[in-house]
Every structure is written in structure tokens, then in C-alpha cells.
């Protein structure tokens, strides 16, 4: 386990982890996300590549979709929690909607576009959460081809 | 009309425009896209914000979703056609899947993340197509609030 890994007691990261675990229990890729507006979860989601044959429903995208149509002002007052470092697509969605802060469960199994987010002024915090790391390590070990498909590799 | 605007006879751009017009006829935002693999359309889509209450189904995302789950090698041999310059989210999806070329109908009514695409090695051609420009100009004039919502503004 990495030196800086932690367990989380943040209820929003725990909600994102619960989404990742729900995805795993459906046979899916265990990545979850929640969109939090002024201290309240307004969208929850998890990766649905396997469950729905989806090329675009990553955890973050699913949370944004489930939050529904929202005015710009809601996004700019929100925080996105995700169990895994956001890929280029999810990063782009964060930039489109000008979500100012992203809390990332871990970036050890996959490092997304955190540098681009920070370059555009998004605050990115990475927890290196033990449960998030374990979920992805085990999934990638057991299903490397599925994981590669999800990240276009 | 801008000096360099053109009518298109490219069948793939015409297919993307047909998608935009289908969206308009449904009461939606008139942006369409097709994903072309080795000379064959493998995904078609159009913006579905209004029709499905979707925050993520831009034209390009809808085309990618409708193409279904694909191995990385298909995307890297494909060209994405879109009637409008790709926003940050759609740009991110193009980068995630390493689509090497994007043909853009126009970027006069909205300039997306073409610079980022080019910086990452994606070939971007902009047609300034007359029909694409007219579709967006009219929609933005008639529905400015809907359009702003779609681009997080």
C-alpha cells in the first residue's frame, strides 16, 4: 500500500465509493462519482460500459447525466467527487460546465488529465483512498482488456 | 455570410447535417455528428439535451454512444464529423479515444477546443459550411437560454 494512502470518512467520497461498489456488483468497472451542490448530492453515477454497452457513461459522466439539465450557476457552485482520476472525456465535461473543484479518490492505478484541470483553474485534491485503489487494482488485474477498452488503450 | 463559407458535398458532412436537422425537427439543438471508420459510418448522433433532458448527449457524444463499445483500434482509424466546433467535453472524448481527425462544419457561432485538439496531434479541418452556420445562427437567435445552458454559459 502506498505510504500516503488513507481511508476516507468524507461522506461524499463514501457515496462515490458506494457507487463504484454498486457498479462492481453489477459486473461493471468499479468507478463511482457524485456531484455535490452546496453540501447536497444532486447526482450519483457509476461506470456503465459493461452494463449498458456504453462508450460514454464513465462514472463522472453518469453522475452529471443523472443530475439532469442544470443552469450554469449550479455547476459553478458544485464539487465533483470521483473514485478515480478523471480521463480526458470526464475532464472535458468538468471544463465545459466550469465545475471549480474535483475530489479524486486515487490516481495510482490511472492518472487522468489532472494537469489540464489545474491549468484551467480547477482545484484538484487526490486522497489516495485505500478502498478506491483496491477496487481498481483488483478489477484491472482480473479484466485487463475491459479496462483498456474503457480508456481507449 | 462569411467570405469562406461553403456548401458541402462531402457525404459524411451531409450525414452529420441530416442529424442536426433531425434534432431540430424534434425541437432540439441542431448539432449532428457521424463517426466514420474506414469510409463507413459506424455511429450517428445529434444533440439530445432538450429531447432527453440530457447534460452529456451532445451530437458528438451521441454518435460515439450509438457506435457502441469498440476496441481502441477502431477509433484510431476513424474520423469524426461534427456540424459545430467541439466543446471541451466532446474534445475530451476525442482525446480519450485517440480519434486522429475531426471535420468540423463551422466554428463561427461557437469556437470549441480546436487548439487543444491540435496541440494533442488531432487533425482538425473546418469547412465553414453555410447550412451548419445557418442552423446554429437561427437556433441561438431564437433560443439563447437553451444554447447557453448547453455550453455551460
Amino acid at each position: 500500500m502506498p505510504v500516503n494512502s488513507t481511508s476516507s470518512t468524507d461522506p461524499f467520497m463514501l457515496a462515490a465509493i458506494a457507487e463504484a461498489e454498486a457498479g462492481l456488483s453489477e459486473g461493471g468497472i468499479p468507478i463511482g462519482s457524485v456531484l455535490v451542490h452546496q453540501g447536497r448530492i444532486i447526482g450519483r453515477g457509476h461506470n456503465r460500459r459493461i452494463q449498458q454497452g456504453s462508450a460514454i457513461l464513465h462514472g463522472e459522466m453518469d453522475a452529471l447525466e443523472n443530475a439532469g439539465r442544470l443552469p450554469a450557476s449550479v455547476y459553478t457552485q458544485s464539487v465533483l467527487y470521483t473514485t478515480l482520476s478523471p480521463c480526458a472525456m470526464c475532464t472535458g465535461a468538468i471544463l465545459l460546465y466550469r465545475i471549480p473543484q474535483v475530489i479524486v479518490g486515487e490516481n495510482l492505478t490511472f492518472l487522468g488529465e489532472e494537469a489540464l484541470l489545474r491549468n484551467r483553474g480547477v482545484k484538484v485534491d487526490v486522497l489516495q483512498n485505500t478502498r478506491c485503489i483496491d477496487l481498481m487494482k483488483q478489477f484491472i488485474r482480473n479484466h485487463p482488456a475491459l479496462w483498456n477498452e474503457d480508456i481507449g488503450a
Side-chain angles (χ1 to χ4, degrees), chain A:
Chain A
M1 197 56 55
V3 174
N4 294 322
S5 69
T6 59
S7 295
S8 186
T9 54
D10 180 324
F12 301 129
M13 182 52 68
L14 292 176
I17 293 170
E19 284 291 322
E21 290 175 335
L24 186 67
S25 75
E26 296 162 3
I29 303 173
I31 305 169
S33 177
V34 296
L35 183 65
V36 176
H37 178 245
Q38 297 183 331
R40 193 172 66 84
I41 295 175
I42 59 172
R44 301 171 191 260
H46 54 263
N47 188 298
R48 296 185 194 269
R49 172 173 296 275
I50 296 167
Q51 299 93 314
Q52 294 190 18
S54 175
I56 64 170
L57 286 174
H58 280 191
E60 301 92 320
M61 304 296 287
D62 193 44
L64 291 170
E65 185 70 337
N66 289 335
R69 282 177 54 188
L70 298 168
S73 59
V74 173
Y75 295 110
T76 59
Q77 296 173 328
S78 292
V79 179
L80 186 71
Y81 287 73
T82 174
T83 58
L84 183 66
S85 185
C87 81
M89 174 174 66
C90 298
T91 291
I94 293 161
L95 295 177
L96 169 64
Y97 288 121
R98 302 173 204 186
I99 297 170
Q101 184 173 11
V102 181
I103 312 283
V104 175
E106 63 105 354
N107 67 5
L108 299 177
T109 65
F110 173 78
L111 177 59
E113 295 273 357
E114 295 172 16
L116 177 60
L117 286 170
R118 291 194 178 100
N119 283 343
R120 299 289 183 96
V122 178
K123 187 170 188 296
V124 181
D125 297 307
V126 183
L127 305 182
Q128 306 302 18
N129 175 277
T130 306
R131 181 63 182 145
C132 296
I133 296 166
D134 287 349
L135 279 166
M136 283 309 296
K137 270 194 177 165
Q138 188 166 340
F139 186 86
I140 293 169
R141 187 170 57 237
N142 293 342
H143 307 284
L146 282 174
W147 173 237
N148 282 339
E149 187 190 293
D150 201 53
I151 53 172

